[in-house]
Every structure is written in C-alpha cells, then in structure tokens.
Coordinates of all heavy atoms in Angstrom, one line a residue:
M9 N -13.1 1.6 7.8 CA -12.6 1.2 6.6 C -13.3 1.9 5.4 O -12.8 2.2 4.4 CB -12.5 -0.3 6.4 CG -11.5 -0.9 7.3 SD -11.4 -2.6 7.0 CE -11.0 -3.1 8.7
R10 N -14.6 2.1 5.7 CA -15.4 2.8 4.6 C -14.9 4.2 4.3 O -15.0 4.6 3.1 CB -16.9 2.8 5.0 CG -17.5 1.4 5.0 CD -19.0 1.5 5.2 NE -19.5 0.1 5.0 CZ -20.1 -0.5 6.0 NH1 -20.3 0.0 7.1 NH2 -20.5 -1.8 5.7
A11 N -14.3 4.9 5.3 CA -13.9 6.2 5.0 C -12.5 6.3 4.5 O -12.0 7.3 4.1 CB -14.0 7.0 6.3
A12 N -11.8 5.2 4.5 CA -10.3 5.2 4.1 C -10.2 5.3 2.6 O -10.9 4.6 1.9 CB -9.7 3.9 4.6
D13 N -9.3 6.1 2.2 CA -9.0 6.3 0.7 C -8.0 5.2 0.3 O -8.0 4.9 -0.9 CB -8.5 7.7 0.4 CG -9.5 8.7 0.7 OD1 -10.7 8.5 0.5 OD2 -9.1 9.8 1.2
L14 N -7.2 4.7 1.2 CA -6.2 3.7 0.9 C -6.0 2.8 2.1 O -5.9 3.3 3.2 CB -4.9 4.4 0.5 CG -3.7 3.6 0.3 CD1 -3.8 2.7 -0.9 CD2 -2.4 4.5 0.1
I15 N -6.0 1.5 1.9 CA -5.8 0.6 3.0 C -4.6 -0.3 2.5 O -4.6 -0.9 1.5 CB -7.0 -0.3 3.2 CG1 -8.2 0.6 3.6 CG2 -6.7 -1.3 4.3 CD1 -9.5 -0.1 3.5
L16 N -3.5 -0.3 3.4 CA -2.3 -1.1 3.1 C -2.2 -2.2 4.1 O -2.2 -2.0 5.3 CB -1.1 -0.1 3.1 CG -1.2 1.0 2.1 CD1 0.0 2.0 2.3 CD2 -1.1 0.4 0.7
C17 N -2.0 -3.4 3.6 CA -1.8 -4.6 4.4 C -0.4 -5.1 4.3 O 0.3 -4.9 3.3 CB -2.8 -5.7 3.9 SG -4.5 -5.3 3.9
M18 N 0.0 -5.7 5.4 CA 1.4 -6.3 5.3 C 1.4 -7.6 4.6 O 2.4 -8.0 4.0 CB 1.9 -6.5 6.7 CG 2.3 -5.2 7.4 SD 3.0 -5.3 9.1 CE 4.3 -6.5 8.9
A19 N 0.3 -8.4 4.6 CA 0.3 -9.7 4.0 C -1.1 -10.0 3.4 O -2.1 -9.4 3.8 CB 0.6 -10.8 5.1
A20 N -1.1 -10.8 2.4 CA -2.3 -11.1 1.7 C -3.4 -11.7 2.6 O -4.6 -11.5 2.3 CB -2.0 -12.1 0.5
E21 N -3.0 -12.4 3.6 CA -3.9 -13.0 4.6 C -4.8 -11.9 5.3 O -5.8 -12.2 5.8 CB -3.3 -13.9 5.6 CG -2.3 -13.1 6.5 CD -1.5 -14.0 7.4 OE1 -0.7 -14.8 6.8 OE2 -1.7 -14.0 8.6
H22 N -4.3 -10.6 5.3 CA -5.0 -9.5 5.9 C -6.2 -9.0 5.1 O -7.1 -8.4 5.6 CB -4.1 -8.4 6.3 CG -3.0 -8.8 7.2 ND1 -1.7 -8.3 7.1 CD2 -2.9 -9.7 8.2 CE1 -0.9 -8.8 8.0 NE2 -1.6 -9.7 8.7
R23 N -6.1 -9.1 3.8 CA -7.1 -8.5 2.9 C -8.5 -9.1 3.1 O -9.4 -8.3 3.2 CB -6.7 -8.7 1.4 CG -7.7 -8.0 0.5 CD -7.3 -8.2 -1.0 NE -6.0 -7.7 -1.3 CZ -4.9 -8.5 -1.5 NH1 -5.1 -9.8 -1.5 NH2 -3.8 -7.9 -1.8
P24 N -8.7 -10.4 3.2 CA -10.0 -10.9 3.5 C -10.6 -10.3 4.8 O -11.9 -10.1 4.8 CB -9.9 -12.4 3.6 CG -8.6 -12.7 2.9 CD -7.7 -11.5 3.1
F25 N -9.8 -10.0 5.8 CA -10.3 -9.4 7.0 C -10.9 -8.0 6.7 O -11.9 -7.6 7.1 CB -9.2 -9.4 8.0 CG -9.6 -8.8 9.4 CD1 -10.4 -9.5 10.2 CD2 -9.2 -7.5 9.7 CE1 -10.8 -9.0 11.5 CE2 -9.6 -7.0 10.9 CZ -10.4 -7.7 11.8
V26 N -10.1 -7.3 5.9 CA -10.5 -5.9 5.5 C -11.8 -6.0 4.7 O -12.8 -5.3 5.0 CB -9.5 -5.2 4.7 CG1 -10.0 -3.9 4.0 CG2 -8.2 -4.9 5.5
L27 N -11.9 -6.9 3.7 CA -13.0 -7.0 2.9 C -14.3 -7.6 3.6 O -15.4 -7.3 3.2 CB -12.7 -7.8 1.6 CG -11.6 -7.2 0.7 CD1 -11.4 -8.1 -0.5 CD2 -12.0 -5.8 0.3
S28 N -14.1 -8.3 4.7 CA -15.2 -8.7 5.5 C -16.0 -7.6 6.1 O -17.1 -7.7 6.4 CB -14.8 -9.8 6.5 OG -14.1 -9.1 7.6
Y29 N -15.3 -6.5 6.3 CA -15.9 -5.3 6.9 C -16.5 -4.4 5.8 O -17.5 -3.7 6.0 CB -14.9 -4.5 7.7 CG -14.7 -5.1 9.1 CD1 -13.6 -5.9 9.3 CD2 -15.6 -4.9 10.1 CE1 -13.3 -6.5 10.5 CE2 -15.3 -5.5 11.3 CZ -14.2 -6.3 11.5 OH -14.0 -6.9 12.8
D30 N -15.8 -4.3 4.6 CA -16.3 -3.5 3.6 C -15.8 -4.0 2.2 O -14.7 -3.8 1.8 CB -15.7 -2.1 3.8 CG -16.2 -1.1 2.7 OD1 -17.1 -1.4 1.9 OD2 -15.7 0.1 2.7
R31 N -16.7 -4.7 1.5 CA -16.4 -5.3 0.2 C -16.0 -4.3 -0.8 O -15.3 -4.5 -1.7 CB -17.5 -6.2 -0.3 CG -17.7 -7.3 0.8 CD -18.0 -8.7 0.4 NE -17.6 -9.5 -0.7 CZ -16.4 -10.1 -0.7 NH1 -15.5 -9.9 0.2 NH2 -16.1 -10.9 -1.7
A32 N -16.6 -3.1 -0.6 CA -16.3 -2.0 -1.6 C -14.9 -1.5 -1.5 O -14.4 -0.7 -2.3 CB -17.3 -0.8 -1.4
A33 N -14.1 -1.9 -0.4 CA -12.7 -1.5 -0.2 C -11.8 -2.2 -1.1 O -10.6 -1.9 -1.1 CB -12.3 -1.7 1.2
A34 N -12.2 -3.2 -1.9 CA -11.3 -4.0 -2.7 C -10.4 -3.2 -3.7 O -9.3 -3.5 -3.8 CB -12.1 -5.0 -3.6
G35 N -11.0 -2.1 -4.2 CA -10.2 -1.3 -5.2 C -9.2 -0.3 -4.5 O -8.5 0.4 -5.2
R36 N -9.2 -0.3 -3.2 CA -8.3 0.6 -2.5 C -7.5 -0.1 -1.4 O -7.0 0.5 -0.5 CB -9.0 1.8 -2.0 CG -10.2 1.6 -1.0 CD -10.9 2.8 -0.7 NE -11.8 2.6 0.5 CZ -13.0 2.1 0.5 NH1 -13.5 1.7 -0.6 NH2 -13.7 2.0 1.6
T37 N -7.5 -1.5 -1.5 CA -6.8 -2.3 -0.5 C -5.7 -3.0 -1.2 O -5.9 -3.7 -2.2 CB -7.8 -3.3 0.2 OG1 -8.8 -2.5 0.8 CG2 -7.0 -4.1 1.2
F38 N -4.5 -2.8 -0.7 CA -3.3 -3.4 -1.4 C -2.3 -3.9 -0.4 O -2.3 -3.5 0.8 CB -2.6 -2.3 -2.2 CG -3.4 -1.6 -3.2 CD1 -4.1 -0.4 -2.8 CD2 -3.6 -2.0 -4.5 CE1 -4.9 0.3 -3.7 CE2 -4.3 -1.4 -5.4 CZ -5.0 -0.2 -5.0
L39 N -1.5 -4.8 -0.8 CA -0.3 -5.1 0.0 C 0.6 -3.9 -0.1 O 0.8 -3.3 -1.1 CB 0.4 -6.4 -0.5 CG -0.3 -7.7 -0.4 CD1 0.6 -8.8 -0.9 CD2 -0.7 -7.9 1.0
L40 N 1.3 -3.6 1.0 CA 2.1 -2.4 1.1 C 3.2 -2.5 0.0 O 3.5 -1.5 -0.7 CB 2.8 -2.3 2.5 CG 3.9 -1.2 2.6 CD1 3.4 0.2 2.3 CD2 4.4 -1.3 4.1
A41 N 3.8 -3.7 -0.1 CA 4.9 -3.8 -1.1 C 4.4 -3.7 -2.5 O 5.1 -3.1 -3.4 CB 5.6 -5.2 -0.9
T42 N 3.2 -4.2 -2.8 CA 2.6 -4.1 -4.1 C 2.3 -2.6 -4.4 O 2.7 -2.2 -5.5 CB 1.4 -4.9 -4.2 OG1 1.6 -6.3 -3.9 CG2 0.8 -4.9 -5.6
F43 N 1.7 -2.0 -3.5 CA 1.4 -0.5 -3.7 C 2.6 0.3 -3.9 O 2.7 1.2 -4.8 CB 0.5 0.0 -2.6 CG 0.0 1.4 -2.9 CD1 -1.1 1.6 -3.7 CD2 0.6 2.5 -2.4 CE1 -1.6 2.8 -4.0 CE2 0.2 3.8 -2.7 CZ -1.0 3.9 -3.5
A44 N 3.6 0.0 -3.1 CA 4.9 0.8 -3.2 C 5.5 0.6 -4.6 O 6.0 1.6 -5.2 CB 5.9 0.3 -2.2
R45 N 5.5 -0.6 -5.1 CA 6.1 -0.8 -6.5 C 5.3 -0.1 -7.5 O 5.8 0.6 -8.4 CB 6.1 -2.3 -6.7 CG 6.8 -2.7 -8.0 CD 6.9 -4.2 -8.3 NE 5.7 -4.9 -8.0 CZ 5.4 -5.6 -6.9 NH1 6.3 -5.7 -5.9 NH2 4.3 -6.3 -6.8
V46 N 3.9 -0.2 -7.5 CA 3.1 0.4 -8.5 C 3.1 1.9 -8.4 O 3.1 2.6 -9.4 CB 1.6 -0.2 -8.4 CG1 0.7 0.6 -9.3 CG2 1.6 -1.7 -8.7
A47 N 3.1 2.4 -7.2 CA 3.1 3.9 -7.0 C 4.4 4.4 -7.6 O 4.4 5.5 -8.2 CB 3.0 4.2 -5.5
G48 N 5.5 3.7 -7.4 CA 6.8 4.2 -8.0 C 6.8 4.2 -9.5 O 7.5 5.0 -10.1
Q49 N 6.0 3.3 -10.1 CA 5.9 3.2 -11.5 C 5.0 4.2 -12.2 O 5.1 4.6 -13.3 CB 5.5 1.7 -12.0 CG 6.6 0.7 -11.6 CD 6.1 -0.7 -11.8 OE1 4.9 -1.0 -12.0 NE2 7.0 -1.7 -11.9
W50 N 3.9 4.5 -11.4 CA 2.8 5.3 -12.0 C 2.6 6.7 -11.4 O 1.8 7.4 -11.8 CB 1.5 4.5 -11.9 CG 1.5 3.3 -12.8 CD1 1.8 2.0 -12.4 CD2 1.2 3.2 -14.1 NE1 1.8 1.2 -13.4 CE2 1.4 1.9 -14.5 CE3 0.8 4.2 -15.1 CZ2 1.2 1.5 -15.8 CZ3 0.6 3.7 -16.4 CH2 0.8 2.4 -16.8
D51 N 3.5 7.1 -10.4 CA 3.3 8.4 -9.8 C 3.4 9.5 -10.8 O 2.8 10.6 -10.6 CB 4.2 8.5 -8.6 CG 5.7 8.5 -9.0 OD1 6.0 8.2 -10.2 OD2 6.5 8.8 -8.1
W52 N 4.1 9.4 -11.8 CA 4.3 10.5 -12.8 C 3.0 10.8 -13.5 O 2.8 11.9 -14.1 CB 5.4 10.1 -13.8 CG 5.1 8.9 -14.6 CD1 5.3 7.6 -14.3 CD2 4.4 8.8 -15.9 NE1 4.8 6.7 -15.2 CE2 4.3 7.4 -16.2 CE3 3.9 9.8 -16.7 CZ2 3.7 7.0 -17.4 CZ3 3.3 9.4 -17.9 CH2 3.2 8.0 -18.3
L53 N 2.1 9.8 -13.6 CA 0.8 10.0 -14.3 C -0.3 10.4 -13.4 O -1.3 11.0 -13.9 CB 0.5 8.6 -15.0 CG -0.6 8.6 -16.0 CD1 -0.3 9.6 -17.1 CD2 -0.7 7.2 -16.6
A54 N -0.2 10.3 -12.1 CA -1.3 10.6 -11.2 C -1.4 12.1 -11.0 O -0.4 12.8 -10.8 CB -1.1 9.9 -9.9
T55 N -2.6 12.6 -11.0 CA -2.8 14.0 -10.8 C -3.4 14.3 -9.4 O -3.6 15.4 -9.0 CB -3.8 14.6 -11.8 OG1 -5.0 13.9 -11.7 CG2 -3.2 14.5 -13.2
S56 N -3.5 13.2 -8.6 CA -4.0 13.3 -7.2 C -3.7 12.0 -6.5 O -3.5 11.0 -7.2 CB -5.5 13.6 -7.2 OG -6.2 12.5 -7.6
P57 N -3.7 12.0 -5.2 CA -3.6 10.8 -4.5 C -4.7 9.8 -4.8 O -4.4 8.6 -5.0 CB -3.6 11.2 -3.0 CG -3.1 12.6 -3.0 CD -3.6 13.2 -4.2
A58 N -5.9 10.2 -5.0 CA -7.0 9.3 -5.4 C -6.7 8.7 -6.8 O -7.0 7.6 -7.1 CB -8.3 10.0 -5.4
G59 N -6.1 9.6 -7.7 CA -5.8 9.1 -9.0 C -4.7 8.0 -8.9 O -4.7 7.1 -9.7
L60 N -3.7 8.2 -8.0 CA -2.7 7.2 -7.8 C -3.3 5.9 -7.3 O -2.9 4.8 -7.8 CB -1.6 7.7 -6.8 CG -0.4 6.8 -6.6 CD1 0.3 6.5 -7.9 CD2 0.5 7.4 -5.6
V61 N -4.2 5.9 -6.4 CA -4.9 4.7 -5.9 C -5.7 4.1 -7.1 O -5.6 2.8 -7.2 CB -5.8 5.0 -4.7 CG1 -6.7 3.8 -4.4 CG2 -5.0 5.5 -3.5
A62 N -6.3 4.9 -7.9 CA -7.0 4.3 -9.0 C -6.1 3.6 -10.0 O -6.4 2.5 -10.6 CB -7.9 5.4 -9.7
L63 N -4.9 4.2 -10.3 CA -3.9 3.6 -11.2 C -3.4 2.3 -10.6 O -3.2 1.3 -11.3 CB -2.8 4.6 -11.4 CG -3.1 5.8 -12.4 CD1 -2.0 6.8 -12.3 CD2 -3.2 5.2 -13.8
A64 N -3.2 2.3 -9.3 CA -2.7 1.1 -8.6 C -3.8 0.0 -8.7 O -3.5 -1.1 -9.0 CB -2.4 1.4 -7.2
A65 N -5.1 0.4 -8.6 CA -6.1 -0.6 -8.7 C -6.2 -1.2 -10.1 O -6.4 -2.4 -10.2 CB -7.5 0.0 -8.3
E66 N -5.8 -0.5 -11.0 CA -5.8 -0.9 -12.4 C -4.6 -1.8 -12.7 O -4.7 -2.7 -13.5 CB -5.9 0.3 -13.4 CG -6.0 -0.1 -14.8 CD -6.2 1.1 -15.7 OE1 -6.5 2.2 -15.2 OE2 -5.9 1.0 -16.9
H67 N -3.4 -1.4 -12.2 CA -2.2 -2.0 -12.6 C -1.5 -2.9 -11.6 O -0.5 -3.6 -11.9 CB -1.2 -0.9 -13.0 CG -1.7 -0.1 -14.2 ND1 -1.7 -0.6 -15.5 CD2 -2.3 1.1 -14.3 CE1 -2.2 0.3 -16.3 NE2 -2.6 1.3 -15.6
A68 N -2.0 -2.9 -10.3 CA -1.3 -3.7 -9.3 C -1.4 -5.2 -9.5 O -2.5 -5.7 -9.8 CB -1.9 -3.3 -7.9
R69 N -0.3 -5.8 -9.5 CA -0.2 -7.3 -9.5 C 0.8 -7.7 -8.5 O 1.9 -7.4 -8.5 CB 0.3 -7.8 -10.9 CG -0.5 -7.4 -12.1 CD -1.9 -8.0 -12.1 NE -2.7 -7.5 -13.2 CZ -3.6 -6.5 -13.1 NH1 -3.7 -5.8 -12.0 NH2 -4.3 -6.1 -14.1
E70 N 0.3 -8.5 -7.5 CA 1.1 -9.0 -6.5 C 2.2 -9.9 -7.0 O 2.0 -10.6 -8.0 CB 0.3 -9.7 -5.4 CG -0.6 -8.8 -4.7 CD -1.5 -9.5 -3.7 OE1 -1.3 -10.7 -3.4 OE2 -2.5 -8.8 -3.2
Q71 N 3.3 -9.9 -6.4 CA 4.5 -10.8 -6.8 C 4.9 -11.6 -5.6 O 4.6 -11.2 -4.4 CB 5.6 -9.9 -7.3 CG 5.3 -9.1 -8.5 CD 6.5 -8.3 -9.0 OE1 7.5 -8.3 -8.5 NE2 6.2 -7.5 -10.1
D72 N 5.6 -12.7 -5.8 CA 6.2 -13.4 -4.7 C 7.1 -12.5 -3.9 O 7.8 -11.7 -4.5 CB 7.0 -14.6 -5.3 CG 6.2 -15.7 -5.9 OD1 5.0 -15.8 -5.6 OD2 6.7 -16.5 -6.7
G73 N 7.0 -12.6 -2.6 CA 7.8 -11.8 -1.8 C 7.1 -10.5 -1.3 O 7.7 -9.7 -0.6
D74 N 5.9 -10.2 -1.8 CA 5.2 -9.0 -1.4 C 4.7 -9.0 0.0 O 4.5 -8.0 0.6 CB 4.1 -8.6 -2.4 CG 4.6 -8.0 -3.7 OD1 5.8 -7.7 -3.8 OD2 3.7 -7.7 -4.5
D75 N 4.5 -10.2 0.5 CA 4.0 -10.3 1.9 C 5.2 -9.9 2.8 O 6.4 -10.2 2.5 CB 3.7 -11.8 2.3 CG 2.3 -12.1 1.8 OD1 1.5 -11.3 1.4 OD2 1.9 -13.3 1.9
I76 N 4.9 -9.2 3.9 CA 5.9 -8.9 4.9 C 5.6 -9.8 6.1 O 4.6 -9.8 6.7 CB 5.7 -7.4 5.3 CG1 5.9 -6.5 4.1 CG2 6.7 -7.0 6.5 CD1 5.6 -5.0 4.3
D77 N 6.7 -10.5 6.5 CA 6.5 -11.5 7.6 C 6.4 -10.7 8.9 O 7.2 -9.8 9.2 CB 7.8 -12.4 7.6 CG 7.8 -13.3 6.4 OD1 6.7 -13.7 5.9 OD2 8.9 -13.7 6.0
D78 N 5.5 -11.2 9.7 CA 5.4 -10.6 11.1 C 6.5 -11.2 12.0 O 6.6 -12.4 12.1 CB 4.0 -11.1 11.6 CG 3.6 -10.4 12.9 OD1 4.5 -9.8 13.6 OD2 2.5 -10.4 13.3
P79 N 7.2 -10.3 12.6 CA 8.4 -10.8 13.4 C 7.9 -11.2 14.8 O 8.8 -11.6 15.7 CB 9.3 -9.6 13.5 CG 8.3 -8.4 13.4 CD 7.2 -8.9 12.5
L80 N 6.6 -11.2 15.1 CA 6.2 -11.5 16.5 C 6.8 -12.8 17.0 O 6.7 -13.8 16.4 CB 4.6 -11.6 16.5 CG 4.0 -11.8 17.9 CD1 4.2 -10.6 18.8 CD2 2.5 -12.1 17.7
G81 N 7.4 -12.7 18.2 CA 8.0 -13.9 18.8 C 9.4 -14.2 18.3 O 10.0 -15.2 18.7
Q82 N 9.9 -13.5 17.4 CA 11.2 -13.8 16.8 C 12.3 -12.9 17.5 O 12.0 -12.2 18.4 CB 11.2 -13.5 15.3 CG 10.2 -14.5 14.5 CD 10.2 -14.3 13.1 OE1 11.3 -13.9 12.5 NE2 9.1 -14.5 12.4
S83 N 13.5 -13.1 17.0 CA 14.6 -12.4 17.5 C 14.6 -10.9 17.3 O 13.8 -10.4 16.4 CB 15.9 -12.9 16.9 OG 16.0 -12.5 15.6
P84 N 15.3 -10.1 18.1 CA 15.4 -8.7 17.8 C 15.9 -8.4 16.4 O 15.5 -7.4 15.8 CB 16.4 -8.2 18.8 CG 16.3 -9.2 20.0 CD 16.0 -10.5 19.3
D85 N 16.7 -9.2 15.8 CA 17.2 -9.0 14.4 C 16.0 -9.1 13.4 O 16.0 -8.4 12.5 CB 18.2 -10.0 14.1 CG 19.6 -9.8 14.7 OD1 19.8 -8.6 15.2 OD2 20.4 -10.7 14.8
A86 N 15.1 -10.0 13.7 CA 13.9 -10.1 12.8 C 13.0 -8.9 12.9 O 12.5 -8.4 11.9 CB 13.1 -11.3 13.2
Y87 N 12.9 -8.3 14.1 CA 12.2 -7.0 14.3 C 12.9 -5.9 13.5 O 12.2 -5.1 12.8 CB 12.0 -6.6 15.7 CG 10.9 -7.4 16.4 CD1 11.1 -8.6 17.0 CD2 9.6 -6.9 16.5 CE1 10.1 -9.3 17.7 CE2 8.6 -7.6 17.1 CZ 8.9 -8.8 17.7 OH 7.8 -9.4 18.3
A88 N 14.2 -5.8 13.6 CA 15.0 -4.8 12.9 C 14.8 -5.0 11.4 O 14.7 -4.0 10.7 CB 16.4 -4.9 13.4
A89 N 14.9 -6.2 10.9 CA 14.8 -6.4 9.5 C 13.4 -6.0 9.0 O 13.2 -5.4 7.9 CB 15.0 -7.9 9.2
C90 N 12.4 -6.3 9.8 CA 11.0 -6.0 9.4 C 10.9 -4.4 9.4 O 10.3 -3.9 8.5 CB 10.0 -6.6 10.4 SG 8.3 -6.2 10.0
A91 N 11.4 -3.8 10.4 CA 11.3 -2.3 10.5 C 12.0 -1.7 9.3 O 11.5 -0.7 8.7 CB 11.9 -1.8 11.8
E92 N 13.2 -2.2 8.9 CA 13.9 -1.7 7.8 C 13.1 -1.9 6.5 O 13.1 -1.0 5.7 CB 15.3 -2.4 7.7 CG 16.2 -1.8 6.7 CD 17.6 -2.5 6.7 OE1 18.1 -2.8 7.8 OE2 18.1 -2.7 5.6
R93 N 12.5 -3.1 6.3 CA 11.7 -3.3 5.1 C 10.5 -2.3 5.1 O 10.2 -1.8 4.0 CB 11.3 -4.7 5.1 CG 10.4 -5.0 3.8 CD 10.4 -6.4 3.3 NE 9.8 -6.5 2.0 CZ 8.9 -7.4 1.7 NH1 8.6 -8.4 2.5 NH2 8.4 -7.4 0.5
L94 N 9.8 -2.2 6.2 CA 8.7 -1.3 6.3 C 9.1 0.2 5.9 O 8.4 0.8 5.1 CB 8.0 -1.3 7.6 CG 7.2 -2.6 8.0 CD1 6.8 -2.6 9.4 CD2 6.0 -2.7 7.1
D95 N 10.2 0.6 6.5 CA 10.7 1.9 6.2 C 11.0 2.1 4.7 O 10.7 3.1 4.1 CB 12.0 2.3 7.0 CG 12.5 3.7 6.8 OD1 11.7 4.6 7.0 OD2 13.6 3.8 6.4
G96 N 11.6 1.0 4.1 CA 11.9 1.1 2.7 C 10.7 1.1 1.8 O 10.8 1.5 0.6
L97 N 9.6 0.7 2.3 CA 8.3 0.7 1.5 C 7.5 1.9 1.8 O 6.9 2.5 0.9 CB 7.6 -0.6 1.8 CG 8.2 -1.9 1.3 CD1 7.5 -3.1 1.9 CD2 8.3 -2.0 -0.2
V98 N 7.4 2.3 3.1 CA 6.5 3.4 3.4 C 7.1 4.7 2.9 O 6.3 5.6 2.4 CB 6.4 3.5 5.0 CG1 5.7 4.8 5.4 CG2 5.5 2.3 5.4
T99 N 8.4 4.9 2.9 CA 9.0 6.1 2.4 C 8.6 6.4 1.0 O 8.2 7.5 0.7 CB 10.5 6.1 2.7 OG1 10.7 6.0 4.1 CG2 11.2 7.4 2.2
P100 N 8.8 5.5 0.0 CA 8.4 5.8 -1.3 C 6.9 5.9 -1.5 O 6.5 6.7 -2.4 CB 9.0 4.6 -2.2 CG 9.3 3.6 -1.2 CD 9.5 4.2 0.1
V101 N 6.1 5.3 -0.7 CA 4.6 5.4 -0.8 C 4.3 6.9 -0.5 O 3.5 7.5 -1.2 CB 3.9 4.4 0.1 CG1 2.4 4.8 0.3 CG2 4.0 3.0 -0.5
I102 N 4.8 7.3 0.6 CA 4.5 8.7 1.0 C 5.0 9.7 0.0 O 4.3 10.6 -0.4 CB 5.1 9.0 2.4 CG1 4.4 8.2 3.5 CG2 5.1 10.5 2.7 CD1 5.1 8.3 4.8
A103 N 6.2 9.5 -0.6 CA 6.7 10.3 -1.6 C 5.8 10.4 -2.8 O 5.6 11.4 -3.4 CB 8.1 9.9 -2.0
A104 N 5.3 9.2 -3.2 CA 4.5 9.1 -4.4 C 3.1 9.8 -4.1 O 2.6 10.5 -5.0 CB 4.2 7.7 -4.8
L105 N 2.6 9.7 -2.9 CA 1.3 10.3 -2.6 C 1.5 11.8 -2.6 O 0.6 12.6 -3.1 CB 0.7 9.8 -1.3 CG 0.2 8.4 -1.3 CD1 0.0 7.8 0.1 CD2 -1.0 8.2 -2.2
V106 N 2.6 12.3 -2.0 CA 2.8 13.7 -2.0 C 3.1 14.3 -3.4 O 2.5 15.3 -3.7 CB 4.0 14.0 -1.0 CG1 4.5 15.5 -1.2 CG2 3.7 13.8 0.4
K107 N 3.8 13.6 -4.2 CA 4.1 14.0 -5.6 C 2.8 14.1 -6.3 O 2.6 14.9 -7.2 CB 5.0 13.0 -6.2 CG 5.4 13.4 -7.6 CD 6.4 12.3 -8.2 CE 6.8 12.7 -9.6 NZ 7.7 11.7 -10.2
A108 N 1.8 13.3 -6.0 CA 0.5 13.3 -6.7 C -0.4 14.4 -6.3 O -1.5 14.6 -6.9 CB -0.2 11.9 -6.5
L109 N -0.1 15.1 -5.2 CA -0.9 16.2 -4.8 C -0.9 17.3 -5.8 O 0.1 17.6 -6.4 CB -0.4 16.8 -3.4 CG -0.6 16.0 -2.2 CD1 0.2 16.6 -1.0 CD2 -2.1 15.9 -1.9
P110 N -2.0 17.9 -6.0 CA -2.1 19.0 -7.0 C -1.1 20.1 -6.6 O -0.9 20.4 -5.4 CB -3.5 19.5 -6.9 CG -4.3 18.4 -6.4 CD -3.3 17.7 -5.5
V111 N -0.6 20.8 -7.6 CA 0.4 21.9 -7.4 C -0.3 23.0 -6.5 O -1.4 23.3 -6.7 CB 0.9 22.5 -8.7 CG1 1.7 23.7 -8.5 CG2 1.6 21.5 -9.5
G112 N 0.5 23.4 -5.5 CA 0.0 24.4 -4.5 C -0.8 23.8 -3.4 O -1.2 24.5 -2.5
S113 N -1.1 22.5 -3.4 CA -1.9 21.9 -2.4 C -1.0 21.7 -1.1 O 0.2 21.4 -1.3 CB -2.4 20.6 -2.9 OG -3.1 19.9 -1.8
T114 N -1.6 21.8 0.0 CA -0.9 21.5 1.2 C -1.3 20.2 1.8 O -1.0 19.8 2.9 CB -1.1 22.6 2.3 OG1 -2.5 22.7 2.5 CG2 -0.6 23.9 1.8
G115 N -2.1 19.4 1.1 CA -2.6 18.1 1.5 C -4.0 18.2 2.1 O -4.6 19.2 2.1
P116 N -4.4 17.1 2.7 CA -5.8 17.0 3.3 C -5.9 18.0 4.4 O -4.9 18.3 5.1 CB -5.9 15.6 3.7 CG -4.8 14.8 3.1 CD -3.7 15.8 2.8
P117 N -7.1 18.5 4.6 CA -7.3 19.5 5.8 C -7.2 18.8 7.1 O -7.2 17.7 7.3 CB -8.8 20.0 5.6 CG -9.4 19.1 4.6 CD -8.3 18.3 3.9

C-alpha cells in the first residue's frame, strides 16, 4: 500500500484496514464511488493522475450510497447488479486518470 498512488475501496469499512497498514495512505484512499464522482468533477483541472488524486483528497466528500454492497452469498442478480455498478464507476475513473496524463504521455512505464 505504501507504493500505491491511489487506493480505491468498495465500502467505508475497508478504509480502516488500509490505514492500519499505512496511515500515510489516508490522502490517497477513497471509496470508488466517491472518487469516481470527484474525478468527473475535477478532471478538467488535473495536469497529472497524481494531481487528480490530490484534488480528490481536497474535495472528496462521501455521500449516502457511496458504499458498494458485497454480493457474496446472494443471488446471481445481485452479482450482476454489483458488476454493473462497478463497471459504471471504474470506467469514468480510468477515463479521468487517462485524461489527466500529460499530453504525449503513454502512461506509466
């Protein structure tokens, strides 16, 4: 976790587990839904993926419904709904991070 530039959790209950390993990760650990929302609002201002994470650390505010329920032990429909929600959140996060790459960059080595 110390080497991670961004840590995304599905639920708020996961954050204390992350921070128990690395308290310095607080500024780069977010709920996926929270980060997706903030990234979509601030991606136009970020000049790098690290800049986007810094903007998120400054502006992220969790909202009701940001936790993603674990479908473990539930019906196949619950798994499908979870997968659909994850796809709907991960896709804009990746788009925002790519958009924040400096012009001409091909991404991390």
